[in-house]
Amino acid sequence: LENLTAVVPHFGVLSISSNGHHEVVGGCSPSPPTVVYGKHAGAVTRLLSTIGGLNVTTVSQASQLRVASARKLLWASLLWLLTNSQKTPTVEKVHSERKEEVRLLVRELLPA
């Protein structure tokens, strides 16, 4: 693992605002960061944060990368599941209207 550089990306979600323009939901500081690990983590972090304007965290241990990867996989799976219904077709609506359901699913699915 000493020569590996890995990134667990966090993607902002586009939402159409009331004035019809696209806005990024989840691109601000409270959003989960993109996580970078490995040999070239410093350079990748600088590139993504400086040029890309992303919220990036560099981790020094592979175990931290595994935790970030599990979180990302869980987030992507839950949001895919919950947005594929007519009830809440967008990530924004899932976050605003189904918080309790998300919390219960995380509790059930997150490895101990």
Side-chain angles (χ1 to χ4, degrees), residues 91-99:
V91 171
E92 188 175 25
K93 283 190 176 190
V94 169
H95 282 293
S96 66
E97 298 174 10
R98 298 176 80 176
K99 287 180 184 179

Side-chain angles (χ1 to χ4, degrees), residues 3-111:
N3 291 320
L4 173 77
T5 301
V7 177
V8 178
H10 171 74
F11 299 104
V13 178
L14 283 180
S15 173
I16 299 176
S17 68
S18 58
N19 64 8
H21 292 87
H22 292 307
E23 297 176 348
V24 175
V25 176
C28 57
S29 59
S31 298
T34 290
V35 177
V36 182
Y37 165 83
K39 183 176 182 178
H40 302 290
V44 172
T45 297
R46 281 189 299 280
L47 176 71
L48 294 175
S49 62
T50 304
I51 296 173
L54 299 177
N55 179 13
V56 182
T57 297
T58 302
V59 296
S60 59
Q61 298 178 2
S63 61
Q64 294 170 298
L65 181 70
R66 284 191 295 275
V67 168
S69 298
R71 239 183 234 146
K72 174 66 179 190
L73 181 60
L74 182 62
W75 180 86
S77 299
L78 287 177
L79 273 291
W80 178 86
L81 175 70
L82 295 173
T83 57
N84 280 295
S85 72
Q86 295 301 321
K87 184 178 175 184
T88 49
T90 67
V91 171
E92 188 175 25
K93 283 190 176 190
V94 169
H95 282 293
S96 66
E97 298 174 10
R98 298 176 80 176
K99 287 180 184 179
E100 183 61 24
E101 191 174 353
V102 170
R103 194 169 80 229
L104 290 172
L105 284 168
V106 168
R107 187 179 304 148
E108 182 179 338
L109 297 173
L110 190 63

